[in-house]
Amino acid sequence: MDYTCPITTATVFKLYSASTGATYGNGAPSVNIESFGIDSNYIYISTNNSFRRYSLPGVQWQTTWPGVTGHSVQDFVISGDRIYAVGTNCTRAFLDVINKYTGAVLQSYVYEDTSGNGASYTRFERALLTGNRLYVQGRFKYLNGKQRKSFACININTGELTDWHTDFPIITQYTTYSSVTFSSTSPLKLYDGKIWFGATKQVLS
C-alpha cells in the first residue's frame, strides 16, 4: 500500500573527520534525515517517505536495495540479518521487519489508536530492542484496542503487543486541556534493566 503525507525533518546528513574536524562533502547524500545507523560497510538512512541504504566509505546510494517506501520510518534497530523499522503512514503506526541484505520487507504490522479521541496521526517515534521485545515510544493512547499511553512493547516474532505498559504524558494532537506533557524524547537506552531516555517538557494552556 502506498501512503503519502507531509513529513517535517530537521537534520541534514553531514560527515566530519574524527581527527581534524574537516567536512566531507563529496559523495555524501544531500537529504534531510529522521535517523540513521551504520552496520558493517553500509549506512542506513530514513528520509522523508523512504528508507535507504548507502555503501561506505563512498556513501553511494544502493538503488537496488528496496527498503521501505510510501511511509515514514522514524527509528529503526539493526539486529543480526534483520532491521526492525518503526514509524507512521500518517494515520497508523507500523513495524516493518526487513531483510538487511536484500531490503525485502518480511513482515509488516499495523497499529491503530482506537481511543476514539480524534487520533488521526498515530506514530511510533523511538525503538529499543532487547531479546524478542521491541519497546516503542510514540503518540497514542490505545493500540489495536489495548490501552497503551505513549509507550508499548511488541513481540517481534508475532507483532503482538505484550502485557508490558507504562504511563508517560506525551503530547498528542488531541490534547487540548491545561497540563504538563512532553513533546518528544531522546533515543531509548537500556541499562541495568531499566529504559533510560530524556524528554522535552511542554506546558499546554
Side-chain angles (χ1 to χ4, degrees):
M1 300 179 69
D2 182 33
Y3 299 93
T4 58
C5 63
I7 302 296
T8 301
T9 56
T11 305
V12 176
F13 186 73
K14 301 289 287 185
L15 294 174
Y16 298 95
S17 167
S19 58
T20 68
T23 301
Y24 290 93
N26 295 333
S30 179
V31 295
N32 291 334
I33 66 171
E34 293 287 354
S35 60
F36 76 94
I38 295 176
D39 182 78
S40 186
N41 295 321
Y42 296 98
I43 182 168
Y44 299 85
I45 297 176
S46 61
T47 169
N48 296 329
N49 283 322
S50 66
F51 184 50
R52 303 176 180 178
R53 185 174 77 171
Y54 295 80
S55 62
L56 295 175
V59 197
Q60 298 299 312
W61 181 16
Q62 304 293 289
T63 57
T64 59
W65 193 84
V68 176
T69 60
H71 48 216
S72 174
V73 173
Q74 300 289 300
D75 199 8
F76 61 92
V77 179
I78 301 173
S79 178
D81 63 353
R82 298 287 187 267
I83 299 174
Y84 301 92
V86 301
T88 182
N89 62 23
C90 279
T91 59
R92 297 178 293 179
F94 71 86
L95 162 63
D96 282 348
V97 182
I98 304 167
N99 184 303
K100 181 176 71 174
Y101 301 108
T102 67
V105 177
L106 305 176
Q107 296 288 341
S108 187
Y109 305 103
V110 174
Y111 307 87
E112 295 184 89
D113 188 326
T114 52
S115 62
N117 292 312
S120 60
Y121 192 35
T122 309
R123 61 192 289 174
F124 293 156
E125 297 178 331
R126 302 291 187 187
L128 170 69
L129 180 66
T130 174
N132 67 346
R133 296 162 67 92
L134 185 75
Y135 296 90
V136 293
Q137 173 271 313
R139 299 177 186 245
F140 47 84
K141 285 188 174 181
Y142 284 78
L143 288 177
N144 295 356
K146 298 181 179 180
Q147 186 173 9
R148 298 289 188 272
K149 187 174 181 181
S150 306
F151 277 85
C153 181
I154 300 170
N155 183 319
I156 59 172
N157 296 322
T158 65
E160 296 292 328
L161 296 172
T162 72
D163 291 334
W164 182 93
H165 65 278
T166 187
D167 189 356
F168 183 75
I170 197 163
I171 188 173
T172 63
Q173 70 173 39
Y174 47 86
T175 302
T176 57
Y177 49 85
S178 297
S179 62
V180 177
T181 66
F182 294 87
S183 60
S184 62
T185 72
S186 67
L188 310 179
K189 303 295 182 181
L190 184 68
Y191 173 73
D192 194 28
K194 303 176 182 66
I195 298 174
W196 298 71
F197 61 92
T200 302
K201 186 168 70 174
Q202 180 168 337
V203 179
L204 300 181
S205 59

